[in-house]
């Protein structure tokens, strides 16, 4: 009951955020956004045809009407049909989101797990050569552009070694999944690892300096025990925050690059195509749903806070 | 656990049956819409003509392209005045089974379906991209659309005389009419499916073509053979088979066999050249159009085109010229350099345009971006059409800085050149092309700032800028709808000015008069002569910087017996593709 | 008699506590709850109490660094609670504060000169050239060498920083300084230096102090009057002599007994511990009914649970001794039984 | 014995007794920074790049980036140190010219987003849990929940190919991080006694923000500025690949975008040169930024 | 006060020297420190911040921050066992079992994400091989002994649900739960209110005497020393300046620093003083110590030799001090 009232309160609190996101993205992407009209026209259009297409796309209606329409779509989660293909937006999303999740999940999980492990190791040996090695590696990883990594990995694994496909997504069982997901996963882990390790190390070092860690040592706790119970468990709030908040970014921005470069029909590629073709219903859906995802993640984060830290209360302000 | 769920979600596609013969085709772009009414691109057409039927198709192997009846039983009867066409349609052809039909069983295709399919283009609700093919040509059709598109209302010029006979009455002779009935736009769609799927008809097409679409997304379209499809057997001789040209491809084995030959079809849409090429090399797809940057690695000779030994051992090749061209154009509506009411200024403006044209180096463009495989030609009658004049002076496509500078001096342009904006969709290659062009015009005195790029995030926005006459200079490509020079010459017809197809806003009464004169002419020497006259006008007025037709080099796996094409023939070839026996074990071995 | 320098009447400061679905105010944290006292010029009022009793909040409310929730505040006969922003800004010149944490009380990125110059500039004290001289004087007064002027706070020890803090408070020549735990964070040897400095300054400049501390010994040393605070209220106030020689409120007594004496011969730890209070200080959000001290009071009676004791003067007119305890209420005639 | 140990907080501020050799916070940071060899190396490399950019600015070199000086895909030679690209343009000249582009983007975005983030973050922190803070937090939340590339694309489209669209979009997204950090620091600082002291002497709110709070967040602004600088350079690569980046001119991002096709055709020069230039600068900047962060870390400062 | 004197000290610290690497170079935080504690005895170490008293405790525990701090010389013998040369693993087994420590800040010294039960039983399970049930039982018993009401319920609380005094009691219970030979209490009551401080000290002393634990009590508060300790060590700038039984120390401090310290602390007096006696000047910088006596710069009894050479430790009865010119004057008490 406490949880429910909390979630309701947070959902209500998320409304301004969603309104803000929809308003900004509406103004930028829809109102001033790309004009689809001229892509839908025939080779020899007339003014009348142009007016007709604009009317069909709804471009001729006033700002407020169109924005209200968008809000209505958000409320009903029905974004109509793609302006390009005519496919129902909901069916596009339900077709592509699972692909993106399957594509991104291994890299996301590995990137964070490895980051935490490396962060723990570096934090424990901080100042020593192990730490310097790991952090040096992290800086190198952080300094390479994602694009460069993708191109290099494709060339290496796809062309030079020929172990994995350069692109595509023809997944129907576990081996084919592994076959297609490996290179994108390696690329995303490679890129994320530097940032993750660095962040986790900083958080863990902060925690390692706390009094209770000294207490644990004074009572003879083993390093593994200290690292897990005192350091990791107490650093969960920033860790959970970072991991959860990276989800919406990865789902849209991360998948956008990977998918358009690996030619994988996920939500990122659809979004990218929607940008370059001005497919507003899809853009509206993606942006709107990302905002909703953000709000949901805000809620999940707060609930997880309470799970990982008994001091956090959902009702009061006491933190 | 979450991973497992994701995996399941991702693996929901049914496993493919490995015993089927599946031809895996690669294309460089995905079609936007599969609705014939919007089949304006090569990519849409590729799918549409395989899922739907058109009355006519092009012969498999004959070049220049020739029509052959497809759904039609023979060629139409044409009245003497050239205004009334009567088509006979095969009987016994059925649409594929689909939930859209009562009982889920496809019914017979009739002449009424063709009437409906062409009517749709004039229905304002359909957002047709092909209506212009028939606009103003068929008696009563335009009015029908303007009067609310009531499908129950009869149209005088477009009627089914019975289930298997269609009559079209033209407002004026239209020699290209039969060509238009081989275009994807004219494909026959069942009204039931259009109504059943509504807007989603564009991704769930139902037709009577050789294949039935089973899945479609921006990366892959898969098809099964349409078991109801029966057009008899392949007659190689009728299709224009010549042993000297086609002998090595193993097509003989197919002669006399019923088509389509493959059980399934996959079309992979792969945007990046490199990815597409690698998919081909690794055997994931059966064919590829050689991307430019691979030309040097693959070919030992460009004229004639010869593969290197390694490639020749593994793959078949075929090369052909594209049905279209790329060109640069000026916005003639701009008085700074386009048409001008003052004849002196008009002449000076022409000189400026000619100077820019002469500064443009087609050879460099060809070498850099088409690896020397492009076919540079003067004017706008492209090499693929029969009216092409191989002997035309090449003066207009020669890089000639001296004449360019001379003209600028002569007409007093020196030091007062206008600033020109160059529009382009934002892409790496477009930018490189621009950079090369800019380096060339700098040679005739334009400064970097005077010749500035304007890039557009979407092609639509780029088109809008052209249609709104905001760009001074732009480069575009045109692909032919049918093999007739009229298709490109109409781009310069005054009444077609923007937002029509005349993006140049070229307005020359002499040209227009000639154009109108040719409209009703049947193919022949007289028409060809007039076409060439018009062509010369366009060249002399320096409206365009034209042109180049690309040479396509197709490679395909030797186990596949076919002759791929994506120009005029396009998707029609897929029904004749056969996979050799080896493939049954080789598919997806990795 | 003239109006006292500072007169506090029923001063209260409550902080709202929010919660629930609509984040409504659910309760009030009564940090200061009806405090009254007077302070003459040149004198020091010692405010003593354990952590969380509201003494720091009271100190800040006196300066209107917190807006009082209720009650009145007169400074030299003027009602401070009625001042608008600009008048308050002028008033700030009269009243200053010294803080506990010598590390947090100085801006780390400003030199001593900048720190001391700011109040002079703000209140337009002296001429531009005179200000520098004035700053040097101030440093001298608080016992710092003039070369300290262009140094940053981190270059000083805790005691020296506290001296800078005192110099800043003195810069505007205030009539009243609130010293909030001004020596608590310092080492003993430094503590006594600063205490002496404060004593000297009072003698030299006649500044009145409200001296807040949890250390009864320090308060005894520096104060003229002492108030003992518990849960936002003054439970006992009197002259320093009276409080320390005859503590009356059970809380005051307990406090005094609990202080460890630096003398192995004195009462043993056992004695101190025997008289110590049970339990912890209750939450100021939900203070106990009646006398807020009754939950820990060794002498609590039934009435203490239900009735809030009034403040009763058990001293004389001239030497008042206010105690908030039912035990001393003559109306209840309990003090007899107690004695 | 190989127990790496846990560095406990100095149990007593023993270090506080240590007279620092330097007389200012910055001086001490400088000392700390000087001892950090990696950071010094990083700074030196950044300086070299900066000189390169300045040279391009003044037209000392890199002037012929747009001209076709040689044939297609020439190998490294005396004339073209790092070979030529598809158009016959000199790859070295283009890479050098791109240094200027990178610094322009990096500096503009870093400076603007730091200014904006610092200012709004300070306002938000100072007026925390007041309406102005709510509005700013709402704005930050909103901007943060729009996917970055979508946002940039939207700005680019909405501004119809304006060459500054990318910068504006980056500033609009990057400032929020700075603002949140500054906000947090200001909230922490404003409860410190020196701020109360400023109130007590009668200082106005804006003076407190600008004189007492913002200067104390300077280390955050500086470090965050360097981080944004690097992020902007890296984001440019992606945006240029997507066609939303630099409109006229050349940048490493454009070079890499050009080279993605060439790499698979076996032409690596463009890719290697552009990636290496960028990698070296970004790496150097990261090292520099790390060193700076360490040197300015308030927890290291003896207090 | 009389306590049983045992021949073998539980802890013997001999000539302990600890150095720290800092940006200003190597500094010696503890210099040639020697003392010993016997079972059931409480040794107080008193001094101002930075005098090295806490570093000493960490050095004994083997918890010096590495690699910055290390023991450069001397020995620490716990029951005859040399701790400074013990491998980390063995030392770990001793910590919490043979020697325990409690810290100043009760608010932060416990792991906030685990319940008291979990933290206390972890220690018991680790060192005493108790089952979970036994460990819980023992933990509740220990909590009861340090005076926590309803220990069977409070044991499932999280640290933030307890007040500072309660937490410090939990720390004491935890530290003594394995009946260590030595307990080091580093400023255990400094962060507590006076009323709580007395309670907590009481509980600690009671339990210590019950268990016969040796205690090192580190504090800056001479009052605490006077009330709880048998012996006291006074440290200044890293070295011991005086050691004596508490009664002797307060009766007649010998080192001028001890005397100054005693005089300058504010205490509740019957008659107020106008000015407090002070020790003039400041503690010297550890990185630049004077060659002679470290207190010489502030010493009222300073002689010339004090500035040049370090006074050796002199014994006078049970009292030790490092001064050429010891204090003889009266000390107000």
């Amino acid at each position: 009951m406490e949880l429910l009232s909390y979630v309701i309160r947070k959902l209500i609190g998320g409304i301004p955020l969603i309104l803000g996101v929809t308003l900004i993205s509406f103004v930028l992407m829809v109102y001033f956004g790309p004009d689809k009209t001229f892509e839908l026209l025939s080779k020899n259009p007339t003014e009348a045809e142009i007016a007709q297409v604009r009317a069909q796309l709804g471009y001729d209606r006033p700002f407020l009407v169109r924005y209200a329409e968008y809000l209505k779509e958000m409320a009903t989660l029905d974004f109509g049909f793609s302006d390009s293909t005519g496919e129902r937006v909901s069916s596009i999303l339900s077709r592509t989101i699972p692909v993106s999740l399957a594509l991104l999940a291994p890299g996301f999980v590995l990137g964070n797990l490895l980051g935490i492990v490396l962060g723990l190791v570096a934090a424990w040996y901080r100042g020593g050569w192990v730490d310097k090695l790991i952090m040096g590696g992290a800086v190198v990883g952080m300094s390479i552009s994602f694009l460069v990594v993708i191109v290099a990995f494709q060339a290496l694994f796809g062309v030079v070694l020929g172990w994995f496909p350069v692109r595509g997504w023809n997944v129907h069982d576990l081996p084919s999944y592994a076959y297609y997901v490996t290179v994108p996963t390696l690329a995303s882990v490679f890129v994320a690892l530097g940032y993750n390790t660095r962040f986790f190390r900083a958080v863990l070092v902060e925690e390692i300096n706390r009094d209770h860690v000294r207490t644990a040592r004074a009572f003879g706790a083993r390093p593994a025990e200290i690292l897990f119970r005192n350091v990791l468990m107490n650093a969960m709030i920033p860790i959970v925050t970072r991991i959860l908040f990276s989800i919406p970014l990865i789902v849209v921005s991360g998948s956008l690059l990977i998918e358009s470069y690996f030619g994988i029909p996920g939500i990122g590629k659809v979004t990218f195509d929607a940008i370059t073709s001005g497919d507003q219903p899809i853009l509206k859906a993606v942006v709107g749903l990302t905002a909703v995802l953000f709000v949901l993640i805000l809620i999940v984060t707060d609930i997880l806070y309470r799970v990982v830290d008994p001091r956090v209360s959902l009702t009061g302000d006491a933190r | 656990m979450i991973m497992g769920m994701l995996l399941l979600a991702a693996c929901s596609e049914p496993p493919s049956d490995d015993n089927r013969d599946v031809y895996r085709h690669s294309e460089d772009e995905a079609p936007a819409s599969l609705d014939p009414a919007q089949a304006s691109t090569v990519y849409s057409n590729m799918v549409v003509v395989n899922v739907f039927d058109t009355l006519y198709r092009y012969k498999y192997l004959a070049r220049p392209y020739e029509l052959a009846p497809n759904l039609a039983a023979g060629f139409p009867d044409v009245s003497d005045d050239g205004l009334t066409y009567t088509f006979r349609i095969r009987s016994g052809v059925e649409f594929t089974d689909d939930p859209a039909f009562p009982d889920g069983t496809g019914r017979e295709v009739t002449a009424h379906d063709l009437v409906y399919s062409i009517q749709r283009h004039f229905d304002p609700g359909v957002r047709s991209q092909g209506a212009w093919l028939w606009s103003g040509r068929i008696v009563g059709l335009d009015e029908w659309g303007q009067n609310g598109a009531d499908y129950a209302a009869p149209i005088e010029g477009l009627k089914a005389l019975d289930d298997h006979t269609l009559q079209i009455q033209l407002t004026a002779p239209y020699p290209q009419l039969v060509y238009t009935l081989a275009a994807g736009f004219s494909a026959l769609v069942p009204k039931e499916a259009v109504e059943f799927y509504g807007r989603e008809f564009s991704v769930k097409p139902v037709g009577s073509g050789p294949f039935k679409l089973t899945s479609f997304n921006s990366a892959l379209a898969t098809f099964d053979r349409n078991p109801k499809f029966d057009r008899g057997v392949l007659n190689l001789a009728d299709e224009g088979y010549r042993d000297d040209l086609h002998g090595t491809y193993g097509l003989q084995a197919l002669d006399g066999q019923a088509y389509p030959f493959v059980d399934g079809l996959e079309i992979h849409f792969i945007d990046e050249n490199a990815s597409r090429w690698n998919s081909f090399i690794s055997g994931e797809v059966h064919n590829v159009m050689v991307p430019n940057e691979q030309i040097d690695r693959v070919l030992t000779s460009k004229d004639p085109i010869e593969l290197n030994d390694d490639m020749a051992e593994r793959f078949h090749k075929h090369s052909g010229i594209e049905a279209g061209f790329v060109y640069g154009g000026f916005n003639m509506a701009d008085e700074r350099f386009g048409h001008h009411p003052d004849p002196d200024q008009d002449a000076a403006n022409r000189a400026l345009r000619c100077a820019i044209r002469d500064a443009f180096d087609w050879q460099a463009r060809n070498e850099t971006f088409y690896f020397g495989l492009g076919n540079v030609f003067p004017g706008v009658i492209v090499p693929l059409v029969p009216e092409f004049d191989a002997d035309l002076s090449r003066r207009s496509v020669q890089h000639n800085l001296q004449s360019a500078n001379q003209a600028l001096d002569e007409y007093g342009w020196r030091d007062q050149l206008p600033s020109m904006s160059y529009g382009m969709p934002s892409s790496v290659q477009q930018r490189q092309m621009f950079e090369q062009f800019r380096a060339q015009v700098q040679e005739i005195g334009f400064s970097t700032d005077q010749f500035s790029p304007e890039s557009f995030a979407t092609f639509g926005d780029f088109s809008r800028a052209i249609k709104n006459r905001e760009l001074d200079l732009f480069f575009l490509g045109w692909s032919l709808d049918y093999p007739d020079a009229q298709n490109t010459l109409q781009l310069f017809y005054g009444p077609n000015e923007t937002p029509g197809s005349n993006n140049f806003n070229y307005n020359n009464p002499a040209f227009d008069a000639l154009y109108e004169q040719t409209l009703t002419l049947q193919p022949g020497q007289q028409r060809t002569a007039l076409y060439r006259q018009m062509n010369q006008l366009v060249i002399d007025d320096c409206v365009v910087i034209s042109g180049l037709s690309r040479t396509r080099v197709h490679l395909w796996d030797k186990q596949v017996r076919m002759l791929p094409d994506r120009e005029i023939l396009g998707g029609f070839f897929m029904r004749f593709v056969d996979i050799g026996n080896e493939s049954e074990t080789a598919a997806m071995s990795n | 008699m003239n109006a006292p320098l500072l007169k506090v009447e029923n001063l209260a400061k409550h902080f709202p506590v929010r919660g629930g679905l609509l984040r409504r105010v659910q309760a009030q944290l009564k940090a200061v709850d009806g405090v009254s006292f007077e302070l003459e010029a040149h004198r020091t009022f010692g405010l003593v109490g354990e952590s969380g009793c509201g003494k720091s909040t009271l100190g800040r409310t006196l300066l209107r660094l917190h807006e009082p929730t209720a009650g009145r505040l007169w400074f030299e006969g003027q009602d401070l609670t009625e001042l608008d922003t600009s008048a308050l800004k002028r008033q700030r010149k009269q009243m200053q504060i010294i803080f506990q944490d010598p590390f947090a009380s100085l801006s780390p990125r400003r030199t001593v000169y900048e720190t001391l110059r700011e109040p002079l500039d703000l209140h337009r004290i002296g001429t531009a050239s005179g200000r520098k001289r004035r700053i040097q004087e101030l440093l001298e007064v608080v016992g710092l060498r003039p070369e300290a002027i262009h140094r940053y706070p981190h270059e000083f020890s805790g005691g020296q920083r506290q001296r800078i803090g005192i110099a800043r408070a003195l810069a505007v020549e205030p009539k009243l300084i609130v010293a909030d735990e001004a020596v608590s964070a310092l080492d003993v040897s430094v503590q006594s230096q600063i205490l002496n400095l404060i004593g000297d300054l009072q003698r030299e400049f006649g500044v009145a102090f409200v001296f807040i501390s949890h250390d009864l010994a320090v308060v005894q040393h520096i104060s003229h009057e002492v108030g003992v605070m518990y849960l936002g209220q003054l439970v006992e106030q009197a002259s320093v002599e009276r409080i320390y020689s005859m503590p009356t409120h059970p809380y005051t007594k307990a406090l005094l007994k609990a202080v460890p004496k630096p003398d192995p011969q004195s009462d043993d730890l056992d004695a101190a511990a025997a008289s110590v209070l049970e339990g912890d200080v209750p939450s100021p959000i939900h203070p106990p009914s009646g006398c807020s001290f009754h939950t820990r009071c060794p002498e609590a009676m039934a009435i203490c649970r239900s009735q809030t004791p009034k403040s009763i003067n058990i001293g004389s007119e001239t030497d008042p001794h206010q105690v908030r305890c039912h035990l001393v209420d003559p109306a209840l005639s309990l003090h007899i039984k107690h004695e | 014995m190989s127990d790496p140990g846990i560095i406990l907080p100095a149990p007593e501020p023993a270090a506080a007794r240590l007279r620092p050799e330097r007389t200012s916070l910055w001086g001490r940071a400088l000392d700390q920074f000087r001892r950090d060899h990696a950071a010094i190396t990083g700074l030196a490399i950044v300086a070299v790049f900066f000189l390169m950019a300045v040279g391009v600015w003044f037209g000392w070199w890199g002037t012929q980036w747009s001209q076709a000086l040689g044939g297609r895909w020439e190998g490294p030679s005396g004339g073209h140190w790092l070979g030529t690209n598809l158009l016959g343009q000199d790859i070295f000249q283009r890479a050098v010219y791109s240094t200027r582009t990178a610094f322009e983007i990096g500096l503009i975005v870093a400076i603007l987003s730091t200014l904006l983030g610092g200012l709004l973050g300070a306002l938000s922190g100072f007026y925390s849990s007041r309406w102005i803070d709510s509005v700013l937090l709402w704005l930050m939340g909103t901007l943060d929940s729009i996917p970055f590339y979508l946002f940039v694309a939207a700005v680019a489209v909405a501004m119809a190919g304006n060459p500054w669209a990318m910068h504006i979009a980056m500033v609009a997204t990057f400032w929020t991080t700075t603002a949140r950090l500054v906000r947090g620091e200001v909230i922490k600082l404003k409860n410190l006694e020196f701020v109360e002291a400023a109130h007590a002497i009668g200082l106005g709110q804006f003076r407190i923000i600008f004189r007492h709070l913002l200067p104390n967040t300077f280390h955050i602004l500086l470090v965050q500025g360097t981080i944004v600088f690097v992020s902007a350079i890296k984001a440019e690569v992606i945006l240029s690949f997507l066609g939303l980046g630099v409109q006229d001119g050349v940048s490493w991002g454009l070079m890499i975008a050009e080279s993605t096709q060439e790499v698979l055709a076996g032409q690596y020069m463009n890719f290697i040169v552009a990636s290496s230039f960028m990698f070296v600068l970004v790496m150097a900047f990261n090292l520099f930024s790390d060193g700076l962060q360490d040197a300015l870390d308030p927890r290291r400062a003896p207090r | 006060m009389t306590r049983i004197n045992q021949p073998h000290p539980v802890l013997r610290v001999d000539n302990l020297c600890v150095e720290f690497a800092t940006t200003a170079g190597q500094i010696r935080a503890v210099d040639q420190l020697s003392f010993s504690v016997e079972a059931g005895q409480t040794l107080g170490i008193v001094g101002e911040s930075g005098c090295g008293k806490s570093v000493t405790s960490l050095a004994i525990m083997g918890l010096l921050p590495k690699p910055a701090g290390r023991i450069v010389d001397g020995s620490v013998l716990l029951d005859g066992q040399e701790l400074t040369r013990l491998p980390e693993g063995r030392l770990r087994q001793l910590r919490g079992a043979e020697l325990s420590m409690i810290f100043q800040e009760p608010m932060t010294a416990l792991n906030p994400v685990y319940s008291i039960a979990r933290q206390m039983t972890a220690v018991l399970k680790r060192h005493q091989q108790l089952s979970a049930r036994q460990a819980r039982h023992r933990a509740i018993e220990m909590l009861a002994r340090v005076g926590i009401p309803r220990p069977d319920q409070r044991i499932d609380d999280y640290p933030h649900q307890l007040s500072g005094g309660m937490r410090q009691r939990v720390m004491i219970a935890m530290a003594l739960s394995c009946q260590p030979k030595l307990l080091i209490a580093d400023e255990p009551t400094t962060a507590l209110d006076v009323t709580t401080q007395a309670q907590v000290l009481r509980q600690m002393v009671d339990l210590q005497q019950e268990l016969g634990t040796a205690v090192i009590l580190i504090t800056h508060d001479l009052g605490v020393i006077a009330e709880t300790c048998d012996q006291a060590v006074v440290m200044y700038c890293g070295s011991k300046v005086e050691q004596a039984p508490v009664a002797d120390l307060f009766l007649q401090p010998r080192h001028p620093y001890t005397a100054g310290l005693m005089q300058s602390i504010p205490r509740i007096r019957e008659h107020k003083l106008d000015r407090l006696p002070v020790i003039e000047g400041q503690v010297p910088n550890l990185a630049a110590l004077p060659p002679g006596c470290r207190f010489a710069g502030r010493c009222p009894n300073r002689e010339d030799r004090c500035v040049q050479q370090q006074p050796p430790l002199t014994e006078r009865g049970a009292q030790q001090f490092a001064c050429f010119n010891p204090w003889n004057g009266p000390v107000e008490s």
Side-chain angles (χ1 to χ4, degrees), chain A residues 35 38-40 42-45 47 50 52 56 82 85-86 88 95 101-102 105 167 174 177 260 269 275-276, chain B residues 6-7 10 32 124 127 129 199-200 202 217 270-272 275 458 460-461 464 467 478-479 481 499-501:
Chain A
D35 192 336
F38 291 85
E39 250 170 80
L40 297 176
S42 69
K43 282 177 168 178
N44 196 356
E47 292 289 358
I50 293 175
Q52 204 177 78
Q56 280 171 4
S82 155
T85 64
R88 192 170 268 286
R95 167 163 65 77
L101 293 182
R167 68 176 305 287
L174 206 57
Y177 176 56
S260 52
K269 174 115 166 70
I275 298 172
T276 53
Chain B
L6 294 175
L7 216 56
R127 212 188 275 170
Q129 299 180 2
R199 291 213 38 196
E200 288 210 286
S202 57
N217 61 46
I270 311 178
D271 317 13
E272 295 86 20
S275 302
T458 72
D461 286 349
R464 177 170 63 178
K467 299 297 184 195
W478 178 266
S479 49
D481 299 280
S501 58

Side-chain angles (χ1 to χ4, degrees), chain A residues 32-47 49-50 52-54 56-57 80-89 91 95 98-99 101-103 105-106 109 154 158-159 164-174 176-177 179-180 259-265 269-270 272-278, chain B residues 3 6-7 9-16 31-34 38 40 123-132 197 199-204 216-220 266 268-272 274-276 278-279 282 284 457-461 463-464 467-468 478-481 487 490-491 496-502 588 590:
Chain A
F32 290 111
D35 192 336
K36 188 81 189 160
T37 317
F38 291 85
E39 250 170 80
L40 297 176
L41 288 171
S42 69
K43 282 177 168 178
N44 196 356
T46 61
E47 292 289 358
E49 267 178 62
I50 293 175
Q52 204 177 78
V53 173
R54 285 183 62 82
Q56 280 171 4
L57 292 170
F81 300 88
S82 155
D83 278 347
S84 305
T85 64
E87 194 176 354
R88 192 170 268 286
V89 173
S91 87
R95 167 163 65 77
V99 172
L101 293 182
L103 170 70
V109 172
Q154 279 195 332
V159 182
F164 294 103
V166 167
R167 68 176 305 287
W169 189 258
N170 187 9
V171 171
H172 42 79
D173 52 14
L174 206 57
S176 64
Y177 176 56
Y179 181 65
Y180 283 101
E259 285 168 14
S260 52
Y261 215 81
F262 285 96
I264 295 168
K269 174 115 166 70
V270 163
F272 179 66
D273 291 345
I275 298 172
T276 53
S277 68
Chain B
M3 290 274 292
L6 294 175
L7 216 56
C11 301
S12 54
E13 287 172 42
S16 60
S33 170
L34 305 182
Q38 285 134 25
S40 58
D123 179 343
V126 170
R127 212 188 275 170
S128 155
Q129 299 180 2
W132 63 282
Y197 289 113
R199 291 213 38 196
E200 288 210 286
F201 183 67
S202 57
V203 288
K204 291 179 178 161
F216 168 65
N217 61 46
S218 57
L220 177 67
E266 289 177 5
H268 296 252
F269 310 108
I270 311 178
D271 317 13
E272 295 86 20
S275 302
R276 197 166 56 254
N278 282 294
S279 295
S282 65
E284 287 168 50
T458 72
F459 193 81
D461 286 349
S463 307
R464 177 170 63 178
K467 299 297 184 195
N468 289 345
W478 178 266
S479 49
L480 294 181
D481 299 280
N487 193 241
Q490 56 97 11
L491 296 175
N496 278 355
E497 66 177 350
T498 53
S501 58
N502 181 356
M588 273 297 287
N590 37 3

Side-chain angles (χ1 to χ4, degrees), chain B residues 87-92 108-111 161-166:
Chain B
F87 299 90
R88 294 285 305 160
I89 292 176
R90 276 170 187 272
S91 57
E108 189 179 14
V109 180
T110 68
L161 301 179
D162 60 48
D163 274 0
H164 299 104
T165 313
L166 176 87

Side-chain angles (χ1 to χ4, degrees), chain D residues 158-170:
Chain D
M159 296 184 65
N162 187 309
W164 300 104
M166 172 177 64
H167 302 73
I168 288 170
M170 284 194 200

